[in-house]
Amino acid sequence: LAAILDDFKKRGERALVGFDFPLGFPRGFAKALSLPGEHPWRAVWDQLNKMVKDKADNTNNRFGVGSEINRRLTGGPFPFWGCPPKDTLTTLQPKRTREHGPDDLPEFRYADEAAKGAHSIWKLYYNGSVGGQAIVGIPAARRLKDARGDAARVWPFETGFKALTEADLEGVLVVIAEVYPSLLKATPAPGEVKDLAQVRAQAEHFAKLDEAGKLAALFAAPKAADEVVEAAVAEEGWILGA
């Protein structure tokens, strides 16, 4: 991916990089962990970068990270849940131990509620889980962004929640956003697996919008209450097209 982006840079072309996992956690997460910094989303990115060990052979410590965060938040196996039996710990169980209550961190982000069918970030394992991908993926997105400095911006945290104009993107070569391919109906071609078909359909969809001059409008805030927009920009993030 870095090589592809470097090639785009040489050609003076801008790229939209979509990650199919949450780029932020439910509102209140950074505060609950007492993370420092003015920007909750970035504080979480920095914290995960310190905790995650992601090796070249694709082994990682995502279950250990989830367990440690559970310990810091509640001292028990909550809110993260889901793991293979061999990774079971006092602070991480294979099955969810209880429901979220009014005094807990939310089970879903506002974006998850807007995108029908999205799974909770607290689910680390089993079909449809995104928690493990977020724990490992956010540090990777952080490295990608930091290597490019101000030429890479994360939507909506750094771009603002608005239709993006050329003036907004002056000097920006990479826009990083969260995507959810299941929002679009994709029909696999012969020999094509479902995941590949979904990614292809998503890329083609955004490309067509871009060609028609309609992609910029997709970055605008949804018609939602002020607290929803504020939470999305400060810490939760949003799903492009939700």
Side-chain angles (χ1 to χ4, degrees):
L1 177 56
I4 292 173
L5 294 178
D6 288 342
D7 184 54
F8 283 151
K9 180 180 179 180
K10 291 177 183 177
R11 290 186 277 161
E13 296 182 2
R14 185 178 296 128
L16 169 62
V17 178
F19 287 109
D20 182 18
F21 54 79
L23 295 178
F25 279 73
R27 52 206 175 274
F29 181 63
K31 182 178 180 180
L33 285 175
S34 300
L35 300 182
E38 297 180 10
H39 305 291
W41 73 271
R42 182 68 200 207
V44 172
W45 280 37
D46 291 344
Q47 181 63 38
L48 288 177
N49 189 63
K50 294 175 183 177
M51 300 176 74
V52 171
K53 306 299 180 186
D54 188 12
K55 299 181 180 179
D57 63 359
N58 213 30
T59 58
N60 59 73
N61 65 335
R62 65 189 186 279
F63 298 119
V65 171
S67 174
E68 173 59 18
I69 292 176
N70 278 350
R71 185 192 67 78
R72 297 184 189 185
L73 289 175
T74 65
F78 184 86
F80 282 114
W81 64 275
C83 64
K86 67 180 180 63
D87 291 299
T88 299
L89 295 166
T90 304
T91 49
L92 185 67
Q93 295 292 307
K95 301 296 183 181
R96 184 164 61 173
T97 57
R98 66 177 177 86
E99 300 289 334
H100 286 251
D103 296 326
D104 296 319
L105 291 170
E107 182 175 6
F108 295 99
R109 302 173 302 154
Y110 288 125
D112 301 325
E113 295 170 347
K116 305 300 182 183
H119 289 248
S120 169
I121 198 170
W122 307 121
K123 181 180 177 182
L124 294 180
Y125 198 53
Y126 310 114
N127 290 341
S129 62
V130 294
Q133 290 94 319
I135 286 176
V136 177
I138 284 175
R142 179 185 182 276
R143 291 192 295 272
L144 188 74
K145 176 200 154 31
D146 288 358
R148 285 157 180 76
D150 291 337
R153 299 284 176 84
V154 185
W155 174 82
F157 302 135
E158 297 179 306
T159 62
F161 221 161
K162 59 182 179 179
L164 299 178
T165 66
E166 279 297 325
D168 294 324
L169 296 175
E170 184 177 356
V172 177
L173 294 175
V174 178
V175 175
I176 296 170
E178 177 184 344
V179 299
Y180 184 41
S182 294
L183 288 176
L184 300 174
K185 183 178 180 180
T187 302
E192 190 177 47
V193 297
K194 180 181 177 182
D195 284 354
L196 177 57
Q198 287 183 319
V199 172
R200 174 181 52 75
Q202 184 94 86
E204 291 173 349
H205 174 67
F206 290 144
K208 289 178 181 177
L209 289 177
D210 192 28
E211 290 174 1
K214 297 179 180 179
L215 181 61
L218 211 60
F219 295 93
K223 294 180 180 179
D226 289 345
E227 60 263 27
V228 173
V229 175
E230 290 169 3
V233 173
E235 55 186 323
E236 289 196 343
W238 198 259
I239 297 169
L240 192 61

